Amino acid sequence: MWSVGLLCVGAVLAIGITHWIYKWRNPKCNGVLPPGSMGIPLIGEAIQLIIPSHSLELPPFLKHRLKRYGSIFRTNVAGRPVIVTADPEFNYFLLQQHGKLVESWSLDTFAKVFAQDSRIDRAHVQKYVRSLVLNHFGAGSIREKLLPQFHEVVRETLCAWSRQDSLEMKSAAAKMTLDFGAKQLFSYDPEEWPEKLSDLFKNFEQGLMSLPLNIPGTAHHRCLMNHKKVSNMMRDELRRRLASTDKRHQEDLLDHFIRDMNTEQFLAEDFIVQHMFGFLFIIFDSVSTSIALAIKLLAEHPLVLEELTAEHEAILKNRENPDSPITWEEYKSMTFTLQVINETLRLANIAPGMFRKAIKEINVKGYTIPEGWVIMLATSAQHLNSDKFENPLEFKPSRWKNLESSVIAKNFMPFGSGLKQCAGSEYSRVIIATLLHVLVTKYSWTKINGCEIMRSPIIRFPNGFHFKVSEKIN
Ligand SMILES: *[C@@H]1O[C@H](CO)[C@@H](O)[C@H](O)[C@H]1NC(C)=O
């Protein structure tokens, strides 16, 4: 009797599970879903997703699926159905459809760290933040005040670097860009704070991609702790300024936020603190990765380095005083340098892609993307597409000479696109250009060790990039 009952329960359970697995593998859709696999129940293909590649190559997850299924495929990551697309035309189309067919979506870890309030009008906020950032980090500000300041910082930093026997390039560059950026953001002076921002961010970053186990001792725990520390630093500074009546003669970005608190409803304390954190993190991480990679690639490509050096020596020759700071016109005239920078950004592929969510059903190439699904626009795959960039893994800055601007617009989006494009894109380019200017004219550098690359899917340098920087002897 009992065994029959157990058998029945077992059978019902088995049917239930089979049905659940079937539904998992075959999600509801009013048409044909793009090809792909939904992986195993609950985790989907999350494990395959984090398997790294050990070069500039795309991680195996993307590479193999694009080869097998074509440029649009479906997957599931930890229970969330996702469409991945590396189709240039479709992606370009989606980017024009912002607010109509798709809206922004952020990764869970980031969403938790940069919590979003759903009551606020996102489009208005995005516009506000973008114009605020452009105001402080855009072309006008670079040209009028930042360029000479940054030139001076680079000169001092490189001089300090050349006194070290071995230098880890990524963290050294991150410290430089963070300290300089934080000065624009809230007049940061490392001497005045008990803990260095660059140390806090180093620990934060190491934990960001680790297993999300919040137990003392884990990288994730340290990451959350440091996020809290930096946030508290920002909160204290904000409160201090709100309580004080002295005026700074140079308005920084935090002052600007405070000034707008009277007119913009959404500018609450948490909002400001989270955004300050976000800005600091971007400045810390993205520019320094590009700098470290550029320095490594140049060390490995002596002919490119030679051409780059010639361009900068010509600039020095044309200057009345070779020690005067770079001007905006000089920066704009650095044709080859800007090609080197684009080529580095293309290969660094810092963001694996952009995330959107379908707010309506979308039909593309005979497939249907159901409403509510997440869409990853795999710009990283587009940057390494051999149809558009011949021998895509080769570092070849001169390829930019022959690329048409329409091809660039549809296939190269290192800073996102449209209104959502990172307002700091010019700032990043200027920082890299200024650093290269001083570096190639005054210094030489040799690789010591490290220099391994890992992409999982975000690019990392697991053992660092160790260099010896020396003053050039002319
Ligand atoms: C570099 O890429 C940008 C797009 O991000 C493009 O507008 C620019 O023309 C490119 N520069 C060169 C030198 O190819």
Side-chain angles (χ1 to χ4, degrees):
M1 196 59 208
W2 269 111
S3 57
V4 175
L6 225 64
L7 214 68
C8 283
V9 172
V12 169
L13 219 65
I15 293 171
I17 291 175
T18 316
H19 182 66
W20 181 57
I21 295 179
Y22 178 82
K23 270 182 55 185
W24 179 275
R25 296 223 169 117
N26 300 281
K28 242 189 21 221
C29 172
N30 300 325
V32 183
L33 282 170
S37 148
M38 303 308 271
I40 47 177
L42 296 180
I43 50 177
E45 298 194 296
I47 295 178
Q48 290 92 324
L49 180 71
I50 55 172
I51 297 173
S53 68
H54 293 275
S55 64
L56 290 169
E57 182 67 285
L58 288 175
F61 177 83
L62 272 178
K63 193 179 157 198
H64 294 155
R65 279 164 186 70
L66 288 169
K67 206 162 171 189
R68 182 160 166 205
Y69 301 123
S71 60
I72 304 178
F73 67 86
R74 72 171 192 268
T75 179
N76 183 307
V77 180
R80 202 184 292 281
V82 180
I83 296 293
V84 178
T85 152
D87 187 287
E89 298 302 325
F90 182 50
N91 288 3
Y92 192 70
F93 167 76
L94 283 180
L95 291 169
Q96 321 295 314
Q97 293 299 316
H98 199 75
K100 291 178 222 148
L101 284 179
V102 291
E103 63 181 18
S104 323
W105 185 82
S106 10
L107 275 171
D108 287 352
T109 321
F110 288 101
K112 247 179 255 157
V113 172
F114 308 117
Q116 288 166 344
D117 187 335
S118 58
R119 281 164 307 171
I120 47 188
D121 172 3
R122 283 218 212 148
H124 172 70
V125 173
Q126 265 167 25
K127 233 178 175 162
Y128 170 82
V129 171
R130 191 179 152 75
S131 87
L132 177 81
V133 173
L134 278 177
N135 204 304
H136 291 263
F137 293 91
S141 178
I142 297 172
R143 185 179 187 153
E144 267 142 49
K145 64 171 213 232
L146 297 183
L147 207 44
Q149 285 179 22
F150 192 65
H151 196 158
E152 195 47 44
V153 167
V154 166
R155 260 204 289 242
E156 283 165 14
T157 308
L158 286 180
C159 180
W161 286 3
S162 71
R163 284 190 236 112
Q164 294 185 35
D165 294 330
S166 168
L167 181 84
E168 203 287 291
M169 196 52 83
K170 165 78 169 63
S171 43
K175 183 176 182 320
M176 175 186 74
T177 54
L178 179 70
D179 287 354
F180 187 70
K183 204 170 141 212
Q184 318 311 319
L185 286 170
F186 67 102
S187 307
Y188 172 65
D189 176 355
E191 306 303 317
E192 283 176 15
W193 294 87
E195 281 190 272
K196 302 263 172 290
L197 264 184
S198 48
D199 294 338
L200 294 172
F201 271 101
K202 208 167 162 183
N203 282 324
F204 173 77
E205 182 175 52
Q206 280 165 0
L208 205 54
M209 292 296 142
S210 62
L211 276 181
L213 282 178
N214 189 11
I215 304 169
T218 61
H220 185 70
H221 181 76
R222 258 199 317 279
C223 167
L224 294 178
M225 291 286 292
N226 283 312
H227 173 244
K228 205 161 161 189
K229 273 191 192 165
V230 176
S231 301
N232 286 341
M233 242 171 109
M234 293 299 107
R235 200 177 301 277
D236 291 347
E237 179 64 14
L238 174 61
R239 288 185 180 165
R240 197 186 60 71
R241 288 191 190 189
L242 283 171
S244 127
T245 48
D246 353 323
K247 274 234 170 302
R248 219 181 315 283
H249 56 266
Q250 267 276 349
E251 190 185 61
D252 57 27
L253 188 136
L254 184 59
D255 288 323
H256 198 154
F257 260 143
I258 292 172
R259 179 157 55 86
D260 291 341
M261 281 174 100
N262 298 323
T263 47
E264 299 287 357
Q265 296 296 321
F266 58 86
L267 284 180
E269 186 179 281
D270 279 340
F271 181 95
I272 297 182
V273 169
Q274 279 164 18
H275 278 79
M276 292 296 283
F277 185 91
F279 298 149
L280 287 168
F281 179 62
I282 293 173
I283 292 173
F284 173 82
D285 186 62
S286 63
V287 186
S288 58
T289 302
S290 311
I291 290 176
L293 188 64
I295 287 177
K296 168 188 146 74
L297 291 168
L298 287 170
E300 292 166 352
H301 294 82
L303 290 179
V304 176
L305 178 59
E306 207 173 283
E307 192 172 345
L308 186 67
T309 310
E311 180 166 275
H312 289 278
E313 278 171 352
I315 291 175
L316 288 192
K317 241 188 229 134
N318 287 331
R319 227 185 245 161
E320 265 173 43
N321 172 6
D323 285 327
S324 59
I326 293 189
T327 64
W328 179 257
E329 289 66 34
E330 283 171 348
Y331 162 67
K332 282 291 177 189
S333 77
M334 299 173 179
T335 317
F336 188 65
T337 309
L338 293 172
Q339 292 170 2
V340 168
I341 293 173
N342 272 6
E343 186 69 346
T344 305
L345 294 171
R346 184 182 71 82
L347 288 171
N349 247 336
I350 289 172
M354 294 182 253
F355 292 90
R356 297 289 186 270
K357 191 171 149 187
I359 45 183
K360 287 196 190 117
E361 193 176 277
I362 301 171
N363 292 302
V364 52
K365 295 192 161 172
Y367 300 126
T368 301
I369 301 174
E371 181 189 331
W373 280 41
V374 170
I375 305 175
M376 173 184 167
L377 288 73
T379 46
S380 58
Q382 286 180 261
H383 294 172
L384 299 179
N385 177 354
S386 55
D387 293 343
K388 308 290 177 196
F389 303 101
E390 210 182 87
N391 296 327
L393 292 172
E394 195 188 336
F395 177 62
K396 195 177 163 208
S398 61
R399 73 169 83 235
W400 291 87
K401 251 184 263 175
N402 307 318
L403 286 172
E404 279 173 34
S405 57
S406 61
V407 173
I408 298 179
K410 284 191 183 171
N411 296 282
F412 182 60
M413 280 160 263
F415 300 104
S417 164
L419 241 192
K420 293 220 68 205
Q421 180 177 329
C422 168
S425 61
E426 192 78 68
Y427 179 80
S428 310
R429 284 197 166 93
V430 167
I431 285 193
I432 306 173
T434 314
L435 183 98
L436 291 177
H437 175 72
V438 182
L439 189 67
V440 302
T441 49
K442 298 223 159 55
Y443 296 90
S444 63
W445 63 101
T446 43
K447 211 159 34 171
I448 296 181
N449 60 37
C451 289
E452 280 109 52
I453 289 172
M454 209 168 107
R455 205 189 275 292
S456 66
I458 294 191
I459 189 166
R460 289 283 162 257
F461 310 132
N463 302 312
F465 277 9
H466 299 271
F467 287 92
K468 166 78 189 116
V469 176
S470 326
E471 215 167 320
K472 260 189 194 171
I473 310 150
N474 291 325

